[in-house]
Amino acid sequence: MRDYVKSKDFHRHMRSLLASRFQELGWESQATGKCSFVRGRRVFWLQISQYSNSVTGAKFTINMTEGSGAANDTRILRQLDDADRAAGKALEERIIARLPRPEPDPDVEVVGDHGETVLVKLGDLAKANPRQWDGPSDVWLPYFSRSDLDDWAAFLLPRLDRLVASSSPEMTDQLLWTQRFRQLIGFLRPK
């Protein structure tokens, strides 16, 4: 029987898998207990779904905040290209196929095509949301055990530099731009 990863262990394990690559890219790990990294005013962080349990497993997504405030949050998995989406969908199907199946197979709630709640059997979960990998949509990555997290990290690591690339140049942040402008003016002033 595979052991379900609880949220505290999720963050610790994912941080251990991603930290060295983020350091290579110039990001620092935040000491918040969560899997999050910071560079300048940009924060990268993993979010676990509130609908997680030891029967159906859990899902997570990836957010990046640029500037200040939640209004600037971006779900960066929307930026996956078609090849990434095909690889992600195949990995999701493998992970769901190896979920432990309790007897009897329980019904689980998922979001239907039009935002409504739909009940499906746990064994049919792989078929429940096939459209999440079509086009730029909100992608949530399912997991149950550490090996699932290892697989998602292996999927994410070669894509991180592209996914964390600023959606707008960091220099457009007004506060940062103002600080750099003042530094430049300071150099030009006669002493």
Side-chain angles (χ1 to χ4, degrees):
M1 183 84 176
R2 298 179 331 141
D3 291 329
Y4 172 66
V5 178
K6 295 181 179 171
S7 64
K8 180 176 76 170
D9 296 325
F10 165 87
H11 286 287
R12 184 180 304 126
H13 189 68
M14 289 302 286
R15 188 173 43 249
S16 74
L17 297 171
L18 301 176
S20 64
R21 181 67 182 132
F22 270 98
Q23 288 172 347
E24 291 170 8
L25 295 171
W27 294 72
E28 295 178 18
S29 182
Q30 287 191 308
T32 62
K34 303 276 185 200
C35 184
S36 61
F37 303 90
V38 64
R39 184 172 78 189
R41 295 187 52 163
R42 299 171 67 213
V43 180
F44 171 99
W45 51 286
L46 302 181
Q47 176 185 352
I48 301 173
S49 170
Q50 64 183 351
Y51 304 108
S52 304
N53 62 60
S54 61
V55 174
T56 61
K59 293 180 182 182
F60 73 98
T61 194
I62 303 172
N63 298 300
M64 185 159 20
T65 303
E66 298 190 50
S68 59
N72 295 320
D73 282 357
T74 302
R75 295 274 173 81
I76 64 173
L77 292 177
R78 293 178 189 263
Q79 301 172 33
L80 294 171
D81 62 25
D82 290 341
D84 295 336
R85 289 178 181 284
K89 183 177 182 178
L91 177 55
E92 177 186 53
E93 289 170 354
R94 288 191 305 271
I95 288 172
I96 290 174
R98 62 186 188 215
L99 280 172
R101 301 283 187 258
E103 288 295 328
D105 196 1
D107 288 329
V108 294
E109 290 184 359
V110 297
V111 177
D113 291 339
H114 306 287
E116 76 281 11
T117 300
V118 178
L119 291 177
V120 299
K121 294 290 185 192
L122 180 61
D124 293 332
L125 195 56
K127 303 173 206 163
N129 191 7
R131 291 193 191 137
Q132 98 161 338
W133 293 101
D134 296 341
S137 60
D138 193 12
V139 177
W140 289 78
L141 311 175
Y143 70 92
F144 188 85
S145 68
R146 286 179 188 251
S147 64
D148 300 336
L149 297 177
D150 294 344
D151 289 348
W152 283 123
F155 171 80
L156 293 169
L157 285 169
R159 295 164 174 87
L160 277 182
D161 55 341
R162 186 168 30 95
L163 291 173
V164 299
S166 184
S167 57
S168 59
E170 289 182 57
M171 291 297 292
T172 61
D173 184 304
Q174 290 179 342
L175 183 59
L176 183 60
W177 201 189
T178 302
Q179 289 171 342
R180 291 199 176 146
F181 182 72
R182 286 182 182 154
Q183 289 173 344
L184 177 63
I185 296 298
F187 287 118
L188 299 175
R189 285 190 189 140
K191 303 221 181 207

